[in-house]
Amino acid sequence: MGKSKVLVVGGTGYMGRRIVKASLAQGHPTYVLQRPEIGLDIDKLQMLLAFKKQGAYLVEGSFSDFQSLVDAVKLVDVVICTMSGVHFRSHNILLQLKLVKAIKEAGNIKRFFPSEFGLDPARYFAGNLSQMGTLLPPREKVLIYGDGNSKVTIVDEDDLATYTIKTIDDPRTLNKTLYFRPPENVLTQKQLVDMWENLIGKKLEHITISQQDFLASMKGMDYAGQVGVGHFYHIFYEGALTNFEIGNEGEEASKLYPEVKYTRMNEYLKIYA
C-alpha cells in the first residue's frame, strides 16, 4: 500500500504551513483546502501556489458550502485540521464541527486530526525566555516565574509537524493523544535563561514574581490577556506540561520516532543571539 493521501485544512496558517511542508517531505500525496475566504490576501495565495509548485494539490472548498467540503474529503484518506483557536488570533476552531460532519457524510476517512496542537511551542516559550508581551529574548532583565524550576516541554514547530505526519500510517497512534516530550527539551525556565546567558556572555538581572503577584496582574486585563496569564500560570507555577504520567491513552513522540533529529534549544536560541 502507498502512503495515505492527506488533506490539510488551514494550510496557510501558523501550524498549517508546517504540516503541509512535512507531509510533502515525507512523501504523502498532499491536498490543501483553498477557501474563497482568502479574498485578496496575496500572501496566502502565493503560499498556496508555492505549495502547488512543490507538488501539493489545491482543492477548492468552503465552510459555507457543505457539499464542497464533502467532495474535498472524498479525495483523501486522512484529514488534518490546523485552523486557529488561539486567543490572540482568529477564532475559527468551532468550524471543525462542520468538517467533522462532512467527514461523516463522506464515509471514507480513516483518520481525522483535529486542531488540538496545544500551546505554541518553541517561539512562544524559548525565543523570548517565556516573557510575556514580546517575541524576543531580553538582554538586561528577565522575569522568573516563582522559583523558575517547573519543568516545561519546548518543541520547535517544524519538529511538531514532522512528528504529526509520522503518525498518519502508524497503528500505534490510532485514537490516541500524541505528547511531545523530547528529553533534552524538557527544561526549567532557569535552565533556558542559563542557556541564553551563556550564549550572549552576559548575566541578566533576575526578577522573581510570586504566584500571588502573577495572578494579581490579571486585574484590569482584557479577555485575551487573562487567557495568556492563565496559560502561563498553569505551565510555570503548576507545571501542567510535565506534572503527569502519560497513560495508555497516549504516546510520546520522541520515543516512537527516535530517528527524528529534533531541534535542541541551545541550538535554537542561537538565531536570536
Side-chain angles (χ1 to χ4, degrees):
M1 293 180 63
K3 292 196 173 185
S4 294
K5 294 180 286 186
V6 179
L7 172 67
V8 181
V9 179
T12 60
Y14 185 73
M15 275 307 304
R17 69 190 73 171
R18 294 171 169 85
I19 294 291
V20 173
K21 178 182 176 182
S23 181
L24 288 169
Q26 294 182 42
H28 288 274
T30 304
Y31 296 71
V32 183
L33 192 69
Q34 179 178 339
R35 296 188 289 151
E37 288 83 358
I38 65 170
L40 299 177
D41 191 329
I42 187 65
D43 291 332
K44 287 188 176 182
L45 176 59
Q46 288 179 338
M47 192 183 305
L48 288 168
L49 294 176
F51 290 153
K52 183 178 181 180
K53 189 174 182 179
Q54 294 164 33
Y57 303 94
L58 303 184
V59 183
E60 292 187 3
S62 172
F63 281 92
S64 60
D65 181 352
F66 179 72
Q67 189 58 47
S68 71
L69 291 180
V70 175
D71 292 342
V73 165
K74 285 183 177 180
L75 296 172
V76 299
D77 309 300
V78 173
V79 177
I80 303 178
C81 183
T82 60
M83 298 182 71
S84 175
V86 182
H87 63 280
F88 54 84
R89 295 199 182 98
S90 57
H91 299 271
N92 295 323
I93 201 75
L94 290 180
L95 287 177
Q96 288 189 108
L97 297 177
K98 293 184 178 180
L99 186 58
V100 170
K101 185 178 179 182
I103 288 171
K104 290 181 176 179
E105 176 74 18
N108 62 298
I109 297 302
K110 66 179 186 180
R111 283 201 185 189
F112 171 57
F113 292 68
S115 186
E116 296 290 343
F117 292 92
L119 297 156
D120 283 337
R123 289 176 179 78
Y124 198 64
F125 293 117
N128 62 0
L129 305 188
S130 307
Q131 306 299 287
M132 298 189 72
T134 180
L135 295 176
L136 297 173
R139 292 179 178 269
E140 300 295 335
K141 301 177 181 180
V142 61
L143 192 65
I144 303 294
Y145 305 111
D147 61 10
N149 290 322
S150 290
K151 292 281 188 178
V152 299
T153 305
I154 307 174
V155 187
D156 182 272
E157 294 92 338
D158 291 329
D159 294 338
L160 191 152
T162 297
Y163 284 125
T164 299
I165 297 301
K166 278 189 167 292
T167 69
I168 286 176
D169 291 321
D170 187 346
R172 297 174 296 177
T173 62
L174 184 62
N175 294 326
K176 290 193 174 184
T177 299
L178 188 68
Y179 293 94
F180 300 90
R181 289 184 181 176
E184 293 186 41
N185 285 3
V186 179
L187 304 166
T188 67
Q189 188 192 9
K190 280 189 174 179
Q191 288 175 318
L192 193 63
V193 172
D194 285 344
M195 286 181 183
W196 176 244
E197 290 175 333
N198 290 332
L199 190 60
I200 64 174
K202 179 181 179 179
K203 188 72 174 177
L204 305 181
E205 178 185 351
H206 292 200
I207 302 172
T208 300
I209 181 169
S210 69
Q211 174 177 312
Q212 293 75 18
D213 289 341
F214 187 73
L215 289 174
S217 71
M218 296 176 67
K219 186 176 182 180
M221 285 187 176
D222 60 13
Y223 175 73
Q226 291 180 5
V227 171
V229 170
H231 286 335
F232 271 63
Y233 175 78
H234 290 303
I235 292 165
F236 293 107
Y237 291 95
E238 294 186 341
L241 294 182
T242 59
N243 65 0
F244 63 94
E245 297 295 326
I246 298 173
N248 293 331
E249 84 291 344
E251 297 286 352
E252 199 285 309
S254 65
K255 290 181 179 179
L256 289 181
Y257 312 110
E259 71 276 10
V260 174
K261 306 301 181 184
Y262 63 85
T263 304
R264 274 65 173 174
M265 287 303 104
N266 58 341
E267 289 296 320
Y268 178 79
L269 285 173
K270 290 180 180 179
I271 65 176
Y272 293 94

